[in-house]
């Protein structure tokens, strides 16, 4: 057999499943994405909105009850001063990490497969940050004084905030993350909003989408400014992927509580955030691509790549668990050693081993390509991963606090009805925002997918010429 040329090998690597197929036209992409927001609203959409809004309303009632009654309605007690409030805050911040990673870091590394999923992931980031932002406001005990979290001199105590506290660092980190992520998401939306504006058949839609698209006309100047702004925002967002959850980890790592006082927390928390964020993207994307019939744009290869990231970050998280256990023994600190042994064999052992099973064992099935591309299987695993990541945050907080240095101070945390309803209410808020997003905005970045198609066609053409030249033939479509 003759040795294959380099051009032939490169041509084979240009996978149609990754690049959404070479037979797609720009019109096909526009039609598939725009039609979602243009058709008459289906009854099922109203049913979904009613369900998610009801759950959100339940959260609102729980928060009102909390404000009227006090934080005593939560399960927090003497040794466990932080309970589900901080657990859920860290959980939702972690969920929001995948959007920035897909949009910013993969963009800077020129990963083509991000183009079909970045818009979806960016929106999910904003919704997760909105859910997370609820908890700092309501866990302070006096939510009407929540503005004291910001560096504003207050008129009651004439005090400044403690800038050495990681809780204040959280305020800056999360607010910065939310603002930059919103800007990044909106800038990317502008060309697609203009496309929907130009296709609008009613005056109201033309005005609404016209205002939102900021007068975009697709001129060379507009594209030049757009690409520059997008690149700058990608550069600003990239360090945020690492810094936000690093600062969140400092809430624990800078303390002297056994089980928290460890230097592995920053990379461990970042890997866990990406892990849970990608799992949530897979969960929602599997449903959305089926409901909105965009399987030809969000292919199995996109999901396969996301599952590879889940496998990699899940393995890193498992390594962090093992490192924590080893260092607790190797340090020679009896309190540190007891804290970790108590996690594995104490009253919360059920939560610890649930965490290990979900976060370490379940992702290992993704070593098999057939399972990485199996939709029902990846859907189940993505849900299992986020269950495990919630338990991780709960285990870190509850097991480190419930047994203090004095046995007389030991206790056990149990969530109350208000804890549970508030947490599930945040899922209602998240899904309500998601339902509105999929109905009124393009869920896939049309302009970026079209740009990828164009680049692939040029690359395919040059490779065809190279293969034909290697074979000593005239390339197809080239005149003599």
């Amino acid at each position: 057999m003759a040795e294959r040329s380099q051009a032939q090998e490169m041509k084979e690597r240009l996978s149609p499943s990754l690049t959404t197929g070479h037979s797609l036209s720009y019109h096909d992409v526009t039609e598939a994405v725009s039609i979602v927001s243009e058709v008459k609203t289906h009854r099922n959409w109203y049913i979904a909105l009613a369900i998610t809004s009801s759950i959100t309303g339940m959260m609102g009632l729980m928060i009102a009850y909390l404000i009227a009654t006090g934080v005593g309605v939560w399960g927090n007690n003497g040794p466990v001063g932080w309970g589900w409030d901080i657990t859920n805050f860290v959980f939702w911040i972690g969920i929001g990490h995948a959007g920035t990673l897909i949009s910013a870091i993969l963009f800077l590394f020129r990963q083509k497969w991000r183009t079909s999923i970045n818009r979806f992931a960016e929106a999910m980031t904003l919704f997760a940050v909105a859910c997370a932002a609820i908890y700092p406001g309501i866990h302070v005990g006096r939510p009407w004084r929540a503005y004291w979290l910001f560096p504003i001199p207050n008129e009651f105590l004439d005090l400044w905030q403690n800038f050495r506290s990681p809780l204040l660092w959280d305020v800056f980190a999360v607010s910065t993350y939310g603002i930059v992520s919103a800007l990044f998401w909106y800038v990317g939306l502008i060309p697609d909003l203009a496309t929907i504006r130009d296709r609008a058949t009613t005056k109201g839609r033309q005005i609404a989408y016209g205002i939102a698209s900021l007068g975009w006309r697709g001129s060379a100047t507009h594209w030049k400014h757009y690409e520059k702004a997008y690149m700058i925002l990608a550069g600003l967002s990239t360090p945020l992927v690492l810094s936000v959850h690093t600062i969140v980890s400092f809430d624990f790592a800078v303390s002297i509580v056994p089980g928290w006082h460890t230097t592995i927390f920053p990379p461990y928390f970042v890997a866990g955030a990406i892990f849970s964020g990608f799992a949530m993207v897979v969960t929602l994307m599997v449903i959305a691509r089926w409901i909105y019939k965009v399987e030809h744009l969000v292919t199995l290869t996109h999901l396969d790549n996301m599952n590879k990231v889940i496998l990699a970050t899940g393995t890193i998280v498992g390594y962090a668990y093992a490192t924590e256990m080893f260092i607790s023994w190797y340090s020679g600190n009896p309190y540190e050693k007891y804290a970790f042994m108590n996690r594995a064999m104490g009253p919360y052992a059920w939560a610890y081993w649930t965490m290990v099973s979900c976060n370490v064992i379940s992702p290992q099935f993704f070593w098999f390509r057939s399972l990485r591309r199996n939709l029902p299987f990846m859907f189940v695993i993505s849900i299992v991963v986020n269950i495990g990541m919630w338990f991780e945050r709960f285990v870190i907080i509850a097991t480190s606090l419930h047994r203090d240095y004095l046995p007389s101070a030991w206790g056990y945390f149990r969530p109350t009805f208000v804890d549970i309803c508030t947490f599930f209410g945040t899922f209602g808020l998240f899904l309500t925002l998601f339902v509105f997003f999929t109905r009124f905005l393009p869920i896939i970045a049309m302009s970026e997918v079209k740009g990828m198609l164009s680049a692939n066609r040029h690359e395919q053409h040059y490779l065809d010429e190279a293969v034909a030249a290697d074979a000593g033939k005239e390339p197809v479509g080239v005149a003599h």
Side-chain angles (χ1 to χ4, degrees):
M1 180 182 291
E3 186 176 349
R4 291 186 305 169
S5 67
Q6 184 179 6
Q8 286 175 317
E9 292 179 356
M10 290 179 63
K11 184 177 179 180
E12 290 175 5
R13 291 174 190 164
L14 191 64
S15 170
S17 61
L18 177 61
T19 58
T20 71
H22 301 295
S23 60
L24 281 176
S25 67
Y26 297 154
H27 175 73
D28 293 334
V29 175
T30 301
E31 196 69 25
V33 178
S34 300
I35 197 69
V36 174
S37 62
E38 292 173 347
V39 297
K40 183 179 179 181
T41 306
H42 196 275
R43 181 183 62 180
N44 291 341
W45 185 85
Y46 289 109
I47 294 173
L49 180 63
I51 294 172
T52 59
S53 299
S54 299
I55 300 172
T56 306
M58 176 184 68
M59 178 190 69
L61 291 175
M62 293 299 105
I63 292 176
Y65 178 58
L66 168 73
I67 294 174
T69 310
V71 294
V73 299
W74 285 345
N76 300 7
N77 51 45
V80 188
W82 281 359
W84 274 33
D85 49 347
I86 303 300
T87 299
N88 299 336
F89 166 73
V90 179
F91 171 77
W92 280 116
I93 288 295
I95 292 294
H97 264 57
T100 310
L101 180 110
I102 291 171
S103 300
I105 295 181
L106 296 185
F107 169 75
L108 295 177
F109 281 97
R110 297 296 187 263
Q111 295 296 303
K112 294 180 181 179
W113 63 272
R114 63 171 282 283
T115 55
S116 292
I117 59 175
N118 67 321
R119 175 72 46 73
F120 196 90
E122 289 167 12
M124 194 193 74
T125 291
L126 297 180
F127 306 155
V129 170
C131 293
I134 293 171
Y135 284 99
I138 64 175
H139 95 291
V140 294
R142 297 179 179 178
W144 53 92
R145 304 289 192 215
Y147 69 93
W148 285 4
L149 292 168
F150 295 93
I152 304 172
N154 64 75
E155 66 275 19
F156 294 96
L157 300 177
D158 196 27
L159 293 174
W160 277 94
Q161 290 70 23
N162 181 9
F163 288 96
R164 293 180 294 178
S165 168
L167 299 179
L168 189 63
W169 306 345
D170 275 346
V171 174
F172 289 103
V174 174
S175 59
T176 302
Y177 184 61
I179 292 170
V180 174
S181 297
L183 286 172
F184 198 31
W185 177 68
Y186 183 68
V187 168
L189 268 173
I190 291 174
D192 292 349
L193 293 174
T195 299
I196 297 179
R197 173 203 64 198
D198 295 340
R199 291 168 54 93
T201 55
T202 64
K203 194 68 175 176
R205 287 176 62 87
Q206 288 177 348
I207 294 174
Y209 287 107
I211 294 173
S213 60
L214 305 179
W216 176 272
R217 291 297 172 191
S219 66
T221 302
H222 285 184
W223 278 110
K224 178 182 177 182
H225 292 163
Y226 166 83
E227 291 176 357
K228 183 179 293 186
Y230 201 79
M231 179 68 77
I232 291 172
L233 288 171
L236 290 173
S237 300
T238 297
L240 288 176
V241 176
L242 305 176
S243 67
V244 173
H245 228 57
T246 295
I247 291 174
V248 170
S249 76
F250 288 165
D251 293 351
F252 311 100
V254 301
S255 73
I256 58 173
V257 176
W260 288 0
H261 189 63
T262 172
T263 55
I264 198 175
F265 265 25
Y268 163 29
F269 268 54
V270 170
I274 296 170
F275 182 49
S276 60
F278 267 81
M280 184 64 82
V281 173
V282 170
T283 301
L284 297 179
M285 187 61 80
V286 167
I287 299 172
R289 69 192 289 272
W290 170 66
I291 292 176
Y292 297 111
K293 304 295 187 292
V294 290
E295 292 96 337
H296 58 302
L297 296 177
V298 182
T299 67
L300 282 176
T301 304
H302 294 95
L303 298 172
D304 186 7
N305 288 337
M306 285 193 285
N307 290 334
K308 289 176 183 177
V309 175
I310 291 173
L311 172 61
T313 50
T315 304
I316 293 172
V317 168
Y319 176 76
Y321 294 163
T323 301
E324 282 186 316
M325 280 293 184
F326 172 76
I327 293 299
S328 68
W329 166 78
Y330 189 71
S331 67
N333 185 330
Y335 304 108
E336 195 77 15
K337 181 178 179 180
Y338 177 79
F340 283 93
M341 295 307 294
N342 180 54
R343 285 183 185 180
M345 294 183 288
Y348 286 106
W350 60 273
Y352 178 81
W353 292 111
T354 299
M355 172 193 79
V356 171
S357 300
C358 294
N359 293 345
V360 181
I361 298 174
S362 66
Q364 301 309 313
F365 290 104
F366 285 149
W367 284 105
F368 303 98
R369 186 174 186 272
S370 59
L371 296 179
R372 289 200 308 270
R373 301 174 75 89
N374 184 302
L375 288 174
F377 185 81
M378 73 173 76
F379 181 74
V380 171
I381 292 296
S382 65
I383 294 174
V384 168
V385 164
N386 266 317
I387 291 173
M389 287 307 298
W390 184 90
F391 270 102
E392 179 195 288
R393 280 64 180 249
F394 176 73
V395 165
I396 288 173
I397 292 170
T399 64
S400 299
L401 295 176
H402 84 111
R403 288 188 170 178
D404 208 337
Y405 292 97
L406 296 176
S408 60
W410 289 3
Y412 192 85
F413 174 84
R414 291 180 179 85
T416 65
F417 179 77
V418 178
D419 280 312
I420 296 170
C421 290
T422 303
F423 176 51
F424 283 101
T426 58
F427 278 98
L429 174 61
F430 180 82
L431 293 175
T432 298
L433 295 171
F434 172 73
V435 166
F436 276 114
F437 163 68
T438 57
R439 180 68 188 91
F440 296 108
L441 295 173
I443 62 174
I444 294 176
M446 293 182 283
S447 59
E448 294 198 43
V449 172
K450 292 173 186 177
M452 184 184 62
L453 285 175
S454 177
N456 285 340
R457 284 169 183 163
H458 284 294
E459 186 175 352
Q460 185 72 35
H461 174 70
Y462 292 134
L463 289 175
D464 286 339
E465 288 186 340
V467 170
D470 287 342
K473 299 177 181 178
E474 189 71 25
V476 178
V478 179
H480 291 282

Coordinates of all heavy atoms in Angstrom, one line a residue, residues 8-40:
Q8 N -3.4 14.1 2.7 CA -4.5 13.2 2.9 C -4.8 13.0 4.4 O -6.0 12.9 4.8 CB -4.1 11.8 2.3 CG -4.2 11.8 0.8 CD -3.7 10.5 0.2 OE1 -2.7 10.0 0.6 NE2 -4.5 10.0 -0.8
E9 N -3.7 12.9 5.2 CA -4.0 12.7 6.7 C -4.7 14.0 7.2 O -5.6 13.8 8.1 CB -2.6 12.5 7.4 CG -2.0 11.2 7.0 CD -0.7 11.0 7.7 OE1 -0.2 11.9 8.4 OE2 -0.1 9.9 7.6
M10 N -4.3 15.2 6.8 CA -4.9 16.4 7.3 C -6.3 16.4 6.9 O -7.2 16.9 7.6 CB -4.1 17.6 6.8 CG -2.8 17.8 7.4 SD -1.9 19.2 6.8 CE -3.0 20.5 7.3
K11 N -6.6 16.0 5.7 CA -8.0 16.0 5.2 C -8.9 15.1 6.0 O -10.0 15.4 6.3 CB -8.0 15.6 3.7 CG -9.4 15.7 3.1 CD -9.4 15.4 1.6 CE -10.8 15.5 1.0 NZ -10.8 15.2 -0.4
E12 N -8.4 14.0 6.4 CA -9.1 13.0 7.2 C -9.4 13.6 8.6 O -10.4 13.3 9.2 CB -8.4 11.7 7.3 CG -8.4 10.9 6.0 CD -7.6 9.7 6.1 OE1 -7.1 9.4 7.2 OE2 -7.4 9.0 5.0
R13 N -8.5 14.4 9.1 CA -8.7 15.0 10.4 C -9.8 16.0 10.5 O -10.2 16.4 11.5 CB -7.4 15.6 11.0 CG -6.3 14.5 11.3 CD -5.0 15.1 11.7 NE -4.0 14.1 11.7 CZ -2.7 14.5 11.7 NH1 -2.3 15.7 11.7 NH2 -1.8 13.5 11.8
L14 N -10.1 16.6 9.3 CA -11.1 17.6 9.3 C -12.5 16.9 9.4 O -13.1 16.6 8.4 CB -11.0 18.4 7.9 CG -11.8 19.7 7.8 CD1 -11.4 20.7 8.9 CD2 -11.8 20.2 6.4
S15 N -12.9 16.8 10.6 CA -14.1 15.9 10.9 C -15.4 16.7 10.6 O -15.6 17.7 11.2 CB -14.1 15.5 12.3 OG -15.3 14.9 12.7
P16 N -16.2 16.2 9.8 CA -17.5 16.9 9.5 C -18.4 17.0 10.8 O -19.1 17.9 11.0 CB -18.2 16.0 8.4 CG -17.1 15.3 7.8 CD -16.0 15.1 8.8
S17 N -18.3 15.9 11.6 CA -19.1 15.9 12.8 C -18.7 17.0 13.8 O -19.5 17.5 14.6 CB -19.0 14.6 13.5 OG -17.7 14.3 13.9
L18 N -17.4 17.4 13.8 CA -17.0 18.5 14.6 C -17.3 19.9 14.1 O -17.6 20.8 14.8 CB -15.5 18.4 14.9 CG -14.8 19.5 15.7 CD1 -15.4 19.5 17.1 CD2 -13.3 19.3 15.7
T19 N -17.3 20.0 12.8 CA -17.5 21.3 12.1 C -18.9 21.4 11.6 O -19.2 22.3 10.7 CB -16.5 21.4 11.0 OG1 -16.7 20.4 10.0 CG2 -15.1 21.4 11.5
T20 N -19.9 20.7 12.1 CA -21.3 20.7 11.8 C -21.6 20.4 10.4 O -22.8 20.5 10.0 CB -21.9 22.1 12.1 OG1 -21.4 23.1 11.1 CG2 -21.5 22.6 13.5
G21 N -20.7 19.9 9.6 CA -21.0 19.4 8.3 C -20.7 20.4 7.2 O -21.0 21.6 7.4
H22 N -20.1 20.0 6.1 CA -19.8 20.9 5.0 C -20.9 21.2 4.1 O -20.9 22.2 3.3 CB -18.6 20.4 4.2 CG -17.4 20.1 5.0 ND1 -16.7 21.1 5.6 CD2 -16.8 18.9 5.4 CE1 -15.6 20.6 6.3 NE2 -15.7 19.2 6.2
S23 N -22.0 20.4 4.2 CA -23.2 20.7 3.3 C -24.1 21.8 3.8 O -25.0 22.2 3.1 CB -23.9 19.4 3.2 OG -24.4 18.9 4.5
L24 N -23.9 22.2 5.1 CA -24.7 23.3 5.6 C -24.4 24.6 4.9 O -23.3 24.9 4.7 CB -24.5 23.4 7.1 CG -25.1 22.4 8.1 CD1 -24.7 22.7 9.5 CD2 -26.6 22.5 8.0
S25 N -25.5 25.3 4.6 CA -25.3 26.7 4.1 C -25.5 27.7 5.2 O -26.0 27.3 6.3 CB -26.3 26.9 3.0 OG -27.7 27.0 3.5
Y26 N -25.1 28.9 5.0 CA -25.4 30.0 6.0 C -26.8 30.1 6.3 O -27.3 30.4 7.4 CB -24.8 31.3 5.5 CG -23.3 31.3 5.3 CD1 -22.7 32.2 4.4 CD2 -22.5 30.4 6.0 CE1 -21.3 32.2 4.2 CE2 -21.1 30.4 5.8 CZ -20.5 31.3 4.9 OH -19.2 31.3 4.7
H27 N -27.7 30.0 5.2 CA -29.1 30.1 5.4 C -29.6 29.0 6.3 O -30.5 29.2 7.1 CB -29.8 30.1 4.1 CG -31.3 30.1 4.2 ND1 -32.0 31.2 4.5 CD2 -32.2 29.1 4.0 CE1 -33.3 30.9 4.5 NE2 -33.5 29.6 4.2
D28 N -29.1 27.8 6.2 CA -29.5 26.7 7.0 C -29.3 27.0 8.5 O -30.1 26.7 9.4 CB -28.8 25.4 6.6 CG -29.2 24.9 5.2 OD1 -30.3 25.2 4.8 OD2 -28.3 24.2 4.6
V29 N -28.1 27.6 8.8 CA -27.8 27.9 10.2 C -28.7 29.0 10.7 O -29.3 28.9 11.8 CB -26.3 28.4 10.3 CG1 -26.0 28.9 11.7 CG2 -25.3 27.3 9.8
T30 N -28.9 30.0 9.9 CA -29.8 31.1 10.3 C -31.2 30.6 10.6 O -31.9 31.0 11.6 CB -29.8 32.2 9.2 OG1 -28.5 32.7 9.0 CG2 -30.7 33.4 9.7
E31 N -31.7 29.8 9.7 CA -33.1 29.3 9.8 C -33.2 28.4 11.0 O -34.2 28.5 11.7 CB -33.4 28.5 8.5 CG -34.9 28.2 8.3 CD -35.7 29.5 8.0 OE1 -35.1 30.5 7.5 OE2 -36.9 29.5 8.3
A32 N -32.3 27.5 11.2 CA -32.4 26.6 12.3 C -32.4 27.3 13.7 O -33.1 26.9 14.6 CB -31.2 25.6 12.3
V33 N -31.6 28.3 13.8 CA -31.5 29.0 15.1 C -32.6 30.1 15.3 O -33.2 30.2 16.3 CB -30.1 29.7 15.2 CG1 -30.0 30.4 16.6 CG2 -29.0 28.6 15.2
S34 N -32.9 30.8 14.2 CA -33.8 32.0 14.3 C -35.2 31.5 14.5 O -36.1 32.2 15.1 CB -33.7 32.9 13.1 OG -32.4 33.4 13.0
I35 N -35.6 30.3 13.9 CA -36.9 29.9 13.9 C -37.5 29.6 15.3 O -38.7 29.7 15.5 CB -37.1 28.6 13.0 CG1 -38.5 28.3 12.6 CG2 -36.5 27.4 13.7 CD1 -39.1 29.3 11.7
V36 N -36.6 29.4 16.2 CA -37.0 29.1 17.6 C -37.7 30.3 18.2 O -38.7 30.1 18.9 CB -35.7 28.7 18.4 CG1 -36.1 28.5 19.9 CG2 -35.1 27.4 17.9
S37 N -37.2 31.5 17.9 CA -37.8 32.7 18.5 C -38.8 33.3 17.6 O -39.5 34.3 18.0 CB -36.7 33.7 18.8 OG -36.0 34.1 17.6
E38 N -39.0 32.8 16.4 CA -40.0 33.4 15.5 C -41.3 32.7 15.4 O -42.3 33.3 15.0 CB -39.3 33.4 14.1 CG -38.1 34.3 14.0 CD -37.4 34.2 12.7 OE1 -37.6 33.3 11.9 OE2 -36.6 35.1 12.4
V39 N -41.4 31.4 15.7 CA -42.6 30.7 15.6 C -43.5 31.1 16.8 O -43.1 31.6 17.8 CB -42.4 29.1 15.6 CG1 -41.5 28.7 14.4 CG2 -41.7 28.7 16.9
K40 N -44.8 30.7 16.6 CA -45.8 31.0 17.6 C -45.4 30.2 18.9 O -45.1 29.1 18.8 CB -47.2 30.7 17.1 CG -48.3 31.0 18.1 CD -49.7 30.6 17.6 CE -50.8 30.9 18.6 NZ -52.1 30.6 18.0

